[in-house]
Amino acid sequence: MTARQRILSLFLITTAALPTFAEDTDDSTLIVNWDGRYRYESQQGNTAGGTPIIMIHLLTVAKGETPCRLEINGYQTAENLLCAAETSGARIDINFVSHAGGSVKNSYGVAIYKPGETLFSLERSAQDGDLITHWGALTPDGVKSQSGAFFVKEAPGEPLSPPQQKRLDLSSPDKQKNESSE
C-alpha cells in the first residue's frame, strides 16, 4: 500500500465516525443521521470489597422498522430495553417500548418505565457537533446533572477500548487464575 493510499484509508476511517449533518431547506434546522452505536460508561464508586462499580449504557439506533435497543450492563445489572427513536432535527428522543422479552415489567415484575415515556434525549450542537444527553425517566445513579456530555458515538466496528477488554477478560475464572499466579 502506498503512502497516498494509507492516508486516504485513514481519512475514510476517521470520517466514518463523524456525525452526518445536512440543512433542511424548509426551516433551515440541523438534521443529523443518528444511525449507529452510542456508549456511556460510568464508574459509580467501589463495592465494600473495593471492586469498581462500572455501568455501561449501549444504545443502538438503526433505520427501518427495528426499534432501537438500550443495553445497560454492569454491577448487578443486565437490562435490555427496546425503544422507539423519535428524531427532530438535531435531537433524538429515546422512548421506552418494552423490555427485550416484550413485557413492560422488568425481571422482578416491576414496571419502572411507561410505554412511550422518554428515557433520555440526545442532541447535537450546531456550533461544534458535541453530543449532549438530556436525562428523562432514566437517570443513572451518580449523575449530578440532568444534561451534559455523557454518550459518545462509536466508530463502526470499533473494538472495546483496552481498559474494557481487560475488565471483560478478568471476568473469566481461567484468566483470573493466570493473572494471580504471575
Side-chain angles (χ1 to χ4, degrees), residues 45-167:
N46 296 321
T47 64
T51 304
I53 299 172
I54 305 291
M55 297 300 290
I56 299 172
H57 294 68
L58 184 61
L59 173 68
T60 305
V61 179
K63 286 183 182 171
E65 298 298 318
T66 307
C68 61
R69 287 191 172 272
L70 177 63
E71 297 174 48
I72 306 170
N73 293 300
Y75 181 73
Q76 297 184 347
T77 303
E79 287 189 87
N80 194 346
L81 307 177
L82 299 179
C83 311
E86 286 185 32
T87 60
S88 176
R91 184 180 178 105
I92 185 170
D93 293 331
I94 306 302
N95 301 322
F96 177 73
V97 172
S98 70
H99 290 268
S103 175
V104 295
K105 295 180 180 178
N106 64 14
S107 58
Y108 302 103
V110 179
I112 297 173
Y113 313 112
K114 298 175 191 150
E117 186 172 33
T118 301
L119 299 173
F120 59 90
S121 300
L122 300 176
E123 186 172 19
R124 282 278 180 201
S125 167
Q127 290 79 21
D128 53 18
D130 285 348
L131 184 62
I132 306 299
T133 304
H134 304 281
W135 296 111
L138 171 67
T139 303
D141 291 339
V143 170
K144 295 177 178 41
S145 173
Q146 281 303 112
S147 295
F150 295 99
F151 280 88
V152 294
K153 186 170 186 179
E154 294 183 339
E158 180 178 297
L160 295 175
S161 64
Q164 293 165 353
Q165 286 177 338
K166 184 174 182 181
R167 279 196 298 271

Side-chain angles (χ1 to χ4, degrees), residues 12-48:
L12 292 174
I13 290 169
T14 304
T15 57
L18 296 175
T20 305
F21 296 100
E23 284 296 318
D24 182 356
T25 56
D26 294 334
D27 61 3
S28 297
T29 60
L30 189 63
I31 298 174
V32 179
N33 175 5
W34 289 102
D35 289 357
R37 288 172 36 132
Y38 300 83
R39 174 185 294 271
Y40 165 53
E41 183 174 338
S42 65
Q43 182 170 351
Q44 301 174 357
N46 296 321
T47 64

